[in-house]
Amino acid sequence: MFEVFGLTGGLPMVARGEMHRPMLRRRLARLFAAGVMFASALDVATAPAQAASKPLAPNDVSILFPPPKSAGDLANLIAVSDLAGPSGSPRRLFSDADFARFIANAENPERPGVPDSGVRHIQLPDAVKKIDAWFVAGIRIDPGAPGLAPDVIAQFGRQPQIRLIIQPVTNGQDDFKVHDTAGHLIFSFTLEADPPLDGCAPFPRFQPDDEAFKAIVRDVATLRDQLAAGHFGKVKVSTSGDLNVHPGLVGASAKAFRDALKTLLEKHLSPQRLNTMAVMGIAPPEPWIFVSMLRVPQAGLIPVPGPTLDGLHAAQMFSIIGGKHVLPQPGTNNQNPITCRHAALQNPPLPAADRKGVSTSEFIDGNVPNSRIIEIVNTIADPNKSHFFNTDCVSCHTETAQPLARKIANFAVLGVNRAVGPKEDWNVRNFGWFPSFLHGGPAAATITRRTAAETADVVAFTNSRLLNK
């Protein structure tokens, strides 16, 4: 889902074209250094008045909860039904009406009269259709969807977001289960938008509400500092290092830090900011089906036709069995110059003949050399080239697990702790919990290259443009 309208999550330590491991490391070093150097300069400039906050680290802005293994672990998670907003409002952050539309769109995403694409329907157990079953698996803090590259901002504007990755967990009498289903709730912080560029209506160019978002950044930095000082559970916790399950959400600090995160969310989020969503679910035991949603005037929350599909179909499917593993076949546009033209709700949509791009379906449904696979996944994992509007959901959610399963030489998952890299080729999580129907066992915390690359961009931009401002 590329985190819908801002990849998201939707994903990387990534590369352009055929960049490999040494160049990837250099690129990431430059990204992090940009934030660090700027913040260091700020320390000197502002020291007489107030000490500047230290630069944020990846785990400060991409916060992954540990997957629960038993009912007792649920106390350290945030139940979606418990989130109010703003700041203790009696109105729930995710309303009954929005949740009902979320479920309905997941199970029946296509409009009447749209030809059958071969994609099966998500089948949700009755227990998952109750909001009490859903918990926050991750929090993504992002100053600019759908991407932070200058040419992406020039075409789409910049939409700061807080994205909640939510997953259902049920605790039956004899069965505790993390379900192979996930949703994204995307809360945006924008001002009045600029008109869309020619041919790109109805999507405007977003103007960021940076003042509101700076307040979030300050609170995130404060929580990081309090964690390091031992304010939560009387243990000092560092958030530095590669992306992992957030270190403050394990051990003695877990419950108190969870409570502080819930307070932060309720302080800054409101139902009015919730305008885009996404869902990934299964028709048990597979395939995996992806659907994105957008709130529009009059119609409300609707499924969005895939920006890289045919302008009609909203759902895309990834299947183990069958002659074709990816349906519909995407028409990506991640090798052309960045453009706001695509196939979602635009009239007319960007013609398939005008698109040039790569997708993982090329090697999932075909036989290509390993060098080509590396080229494909490096493009998809690069947020400067690929985003929600030019790259399909299946590609975004398979760019790390599929090459790992093929044991391709020179394929590196940089910026991600090895403990949370995907271990199975059918793991389609970018940032969340994956329960394996093949191997069983507890759900696995998962982070991909795409997520790491997006996070590196977020850290560099936030440290240089928002923190201490």
Side-chain angles (χ1 to χ4, degrees):
M1 292 161 280
F2 274 86
E3 308 292 14
V4 188
F5 301 176
L7 311 185
T8 82
L11 71 46
M13 267 355 24
V14 55
R16 285 188 176 274
E18 296 186 4
M19 285 200 227
H20 297 308
R21 190 166 183 168
M23 196 169 293
L24 287 171
R25 285 202 179 99
R26 290 196 294 272
R27 177 175 181 261
L28 289 170
R30 288 196 298 270
L31 284 170
F32 288 121
V36 172
M37 290 171 63
F38 187 92
S40 296
L42 245 160
D43 261 336
V44 174
T46 61
Q50 181 178 358
S53 291
K54 296 184 299 182
L56 296 175
N59 286 303
D60 298 322
V61 296
S62 292
I63 301 166
L64 182 62
F65 284 76
K69 297 178 181 179
S70 67
D73 294 335
L74 298 180
N76 290 341
L77 302 179
I78 299 174
V80 174
S81 59
D82 286 344
L83 279 171
S87 295
S89 164
R91 184 178 176 187
R92 199 170 61 215
L93 199 59
F94 195 20
S95 69
D96 286 336
D98 281 348
F99 180 74
R101 289 303 306 156
F102 173 79
I103 296 296
N105 290 340
E107 295 190 311
N108 293 286
E110 304 294 3
R111 290 172 293 168
V114 171
D116 182 14
S117 66
V119 174
R120 295 175 63 185
H121 285 240
I122 294 172
Q123 298 173 17
L124 298 173
D126 287 343
V128 170
K129 296 179 186 180
K130 300 175 182 177
I131 196 170
D132 291 347
W134 292 76
F135 293 83
V136 176
I139 302 168
R140 301 286 303 278
I141 296 166
D142 183 355
L148 290 165
D151 49 355
V152 176
I153 293 173
Q155 291 288 315
F156 294 94
R158 180 165 63 84
Q159 186 182 76
Q161 298 176 343
I162 290 182
R163 299 190 292 273
L164 303 183
I165 296 86
I166 62 172
Q167 292 190 230
V169 182
T170 53
N171 184 30
Q173 195 166 20
D174 301 310
D175 183 27
F176 178 86
K177 184 175 182 179
V178 176
H179 292 259
D180 195 0
T181 299
H184 292 160
L185 305 182
I186 301 168
F187 298 82
S188 301
F189 295 79
T190 55
L191 304 172
E192 185 174 353
D194 287 338
L197 298 178
D198 288 345
C200 297
F203 294 91
R205 286 175 291 164
F206 299 110
Q207 291 300 310
D209 187 350
D210 279 339
E211 291 309 307
F213 211 70
K214 287 174 189 175
I216 296 169
V217 170
R218 287 193 295 270
D219 285 352
V220 168
T222 297
L223 284 186
R224 182 271 318 275
D225 294 343
Q226 291 174 340
L227 196 60
H231 288 200
F232 303 109
K234 298 181 180 180
V235 291
K236 296 181 178 181
V237 178
S238 169
T239 59
S240 62
D242 289 341
L243 278 175
N244 200 347
V245 168
H246 194 284
L249 290 169
V250 295
S253 60
K255 180 60 168 65
F257 189 63
R258 169 264 184 211
D259 293 344
L261 287 173
K262 180 175 183 288
T263 298
L264 182 147
L265 295 176
E266 292 180 334
K267 175 181 177 181
H268 294 287
L269 302 185
S270 68
Q272 293 76 22
R273 295 190 183 277
L274 179 59
N275 290 308
T276 47
M277 304 182 197
V279 64
M280 189 290 305
I282 60 174
E286 64 95 38
W288 296 267
I289 300 136
F290 300 83
V291 178
S292 300
M293 311 175 202
L294 175 68
R295 197 186 306 278
V296 299
Q298 280 90 47
L301 189 66
I302 64 167
V304 178
T308 59
L309 303 181
D310 57 6
L312 297 175
H313 292 96
Q316 191 184 27
M317 180 177 80
F318 173 51
S319 178
I320 295 176
I321 61 175
K324 280 283 187 182
H325 299 294
V326 180
L327 289 173
Q329 181 74 22
T332 58
N333 198 36
N334 46 31
Q335 291 184 316
N336 269 331
I338 298 294
T339 174
C340 56
R341 296 280 288 121
H342 50 80
L345 305 179
Q346 293 182 347
N347 190 18
L350 179 66
D354 293 343
R355 307 178 204 172
K356 179 184 178 183
V358 297
S359 69
T360 58
S361 64
E362 184 176 334
F363 63 84
I364 292 173
D365 278 325
N367 185 18
V368 303
N370 286 353
S371 59
R372 176 62 176 166
I373 294 176
I374 291 289
E375 178 185 354
I376 290 169
V377 297
N378 280 351
T379 297
I380 293 165
D382 187 346
N384 291 315
K385 299 184 74 172
S386 299
H387 53 75
F388 173 78
F389 293 104
N390 69 8
T391 304
D392 64 299
C393 293
V394 169
S395 288
C396 170
H397 286 262
T398 55
E399 58 78 27
T400 298
Q402 288 290 312
L404 283 176
R406 287 166 166 77
K407 296 181 171 58
I408 294 176
N410 300 318
F411 180 78
V413 185
L414 303 179
V416 177
N417 188 288
R418 290 184 65 182
V420 294
K423 306 297 189 299
E424 185 179 320
D425 49 354
W426 310 117
N427 184 343
V428 297
R429 289 296 177 280
N430 276 340
F431 193 72
W433 311 325
F434 174 69
S436 173
F437 78 94
L438 287 177
H439 303 296
T446 303
I447 303 176
T448 62
R449 294 194 319 153
R450 174 79 207 185
T451 300
E454 289 175 351
T455 301
D457 283 353
V458 164
V459 166
F461 186 95
T462 301
N463 286 338
S464 62
R465 300 274 295 272
L466 301 175
L467 187 65
N468 298 315
K469 291 292 188 176

